[in-house]
Amino acid sequence: MSLIDKAGTYTLGNRQVKRLGYGAMQLAGPGVFGPPKDPARAVQVLQDVIAAGIDHIDTSDFYGPHITNQLIKQALHPYPSDLCLVTKVSARRDDTGAWLPALSPAELTQAVEDNLRNLGLEQLEVVNLRSMLDVHGPAEGSLETPLTTLAELRERGLIKHIGLSNVTPTQVTDGQKIVPIVCVQNQFNLANRADDALIDRLAAEGIPYVPFFPLGGFTPLQSQTLTEVAATLDATPMQVALAWLLARSPNILLIPGTSSPDHLQQNIQAAALEIPAAQMALLDRIGD
């Protein structure tokens, strides 16, 4: 059994994936814009991901844009049969790297076609519709029109499964009336736990929850309690933060990202980290 296997598995779409995956966002340049400084290093990270047994990679064609998908294709195509590639649509980048909504039927169709071309696929396994009603977090509002567009692309065979990202519980409920939702990807970590109830609801429905920014994203998690717990477990604070998420609920799938081979290995070690109940109780209070 590899380290990754110790995290267990969960159903995503119609396959079982290991609960510790990989997020490709950081493979692009600064600000997730432009190419990386060292493309060969990025390719090495992706190859190390597969060598470690990871079978779930999260990406998007608006990372770069196009950069991370092109790197994934360069490094891994033809893909292992057990690899689940998950992408997301609904945003575009301007010449300065700003994130802009791209939710019209034409823009979503183009995004799906771009993902297919740059990943070298005939069908995207999972496409997450990311709500852009508020770039910085979930905001109520109808996603019926863009989700219906993706459902139509699914009927055409360009998409196998559909998920939602940056959404509210109401939008999940509404989305399920349009098309089966196979995953929800929102921000969630030790210090940002607004989705506690949603995670439990999805677990009861057998739907995976995929926290983005599991380590805090552009502002890494900082907590004296986290640092102290990590010291008692002979682990790094970030390893403890990942292990806490794995322990939080069996339907949580992790996609920590990195552009460093060494950091990748550190993240992988979190799969085998067990947090005793007393330390879990301390960590649980961080988000209160």
Side-chain angles (χ1 to χ4, degrees):
M1 174 182 290
S2 68
L3 281 176
I4 290 293
D5 293 319
K6 294 184 178 181
T9 63
Y10 200 78
T11 302
L12 176 58
N14 62 346
R15 71 160 88 204
Q16 291 287 115
V17 299
K18 296 169 186 177
R19 292 182 61 213
L20 202 158
Y22 173 75
M25 184 176 74
Q26 294 186 34
L27 295 182
V32 201
F33 193 63
K37 181 179 180 180
D38 187 348
R41 188 171 185 246
V43 167
Q44 183 62 58
V45 169
L46 287 163
Q47 292 173 341
D48 289 351
V49 163
I50 299 304
I54 291 173
D55 59 8
H56 170 207
I57 294 179
D58 180 84
T59 185
S60 175
D61 211 57
F62 55 68
Y63 295 161
H66 315 306
I67 297 297
T68 60
N69 281 353
Q70 291 169 352
L71 287 167
I72 289 170
K73 181 181 177 183
Q74 177 186 346
L76 305 178
H77 195 277
Y79 301 113
S81 60
D82 64 345
L83 178 62
C84 181
L85 290 172
V86 177
T87 189
K88 66 184 68 64
V89 294
S90 77
R92 63 182 178 85
R93 315 296 292 280
D94 67 12
D95 292 341
T96 67
W99 306 79
L100 304 174
L103 288 161
S104 72
E107 289 172 316
L108 291 172
T109 300
Q110 183 65 56
V112 167
E113 292 172 348
D114 287 345
N115 275 278
L116 288 167
R117 181 181 66 257
N118 286 312
L119 287 169
L121 294 170
E122 295 183 357
Q123 183 185 60
L124 299 174
E125 183 155 0
V126 182
V127 174
N128 286 323
L129 174 67
R130 189 190 196 281
S131 172
M132 294 292 286
L133 298 174
D134 185 336
V135 175
H136 303 292
E140 294 293 359
S142 176
L143 297 174
E144 180 178 358
T145 297
L147 193 54
T148 298
T149 298
L150 292 188
E152 291 169 352
L153 294 171
R154 177 174 173 264
E155 290 299 313
R156 287 175 51 190
L158 300 182
I159 298 171
K160 191 171 187 179
H161 301 292
I162 294 174
L164 293 171
S165 178
N166 197 43
V167 291
T168 68
T170 298
Q171 288 165 337
V172 175
T173 299
D174 291 344
Q176 289 173 313
K177 299 173 184 176
I178 298 171
V179 68
I181 300 300
V182 302
C183 60
V184 174
Q185 185 183 106
N186 279 1
Q187 181 175 1
F188 187 85
N189 54 50
L190 266 170
N192 298 277
R193 292 165 46 189
D195 272 357
D196 267 325
L198 178 59
I199 290 172
D200 294 339
R201 167 192 156 185
L202 294 174
E205 297 176 11
I207 298 173
Y209 181 96
V210 187
F212 65 74
F213 292 162
L215 302 178
F218 299 112
T219 306
L221 292 172
Q222 295 185 21
S223 162
Q224 184 63 30
T225 299
L226 177 59
T227 300
E228 291 172 355
V229 168
T232 67
L233 299 177
D234 194 24
T236 69
M238 296 302 97
Q239 287 171 335
V240 173
L242 292 175
W244 177 85
L245 284 166
L246 288 171
R248 167 60 183 81
S249 181
N251 69 320
I252 286 182
L253 300 179
L254 296 187
I255 50 168
T258 181
S259 60
S260 162
D262 290 341
H263 188 206
L264 173 67
Q265 297 304 320
Q266 291 176 21
N267 288 343
I268 289 170
Q269 290 170 16
L273 182 61
E274 297 184 7
I275 305 176
Q279 279 75 19
M280 279 294 293
L282 292 173
L283 294 172
D284 287 344
R285 290 200 287 269
I286 290 176
D288 291 344

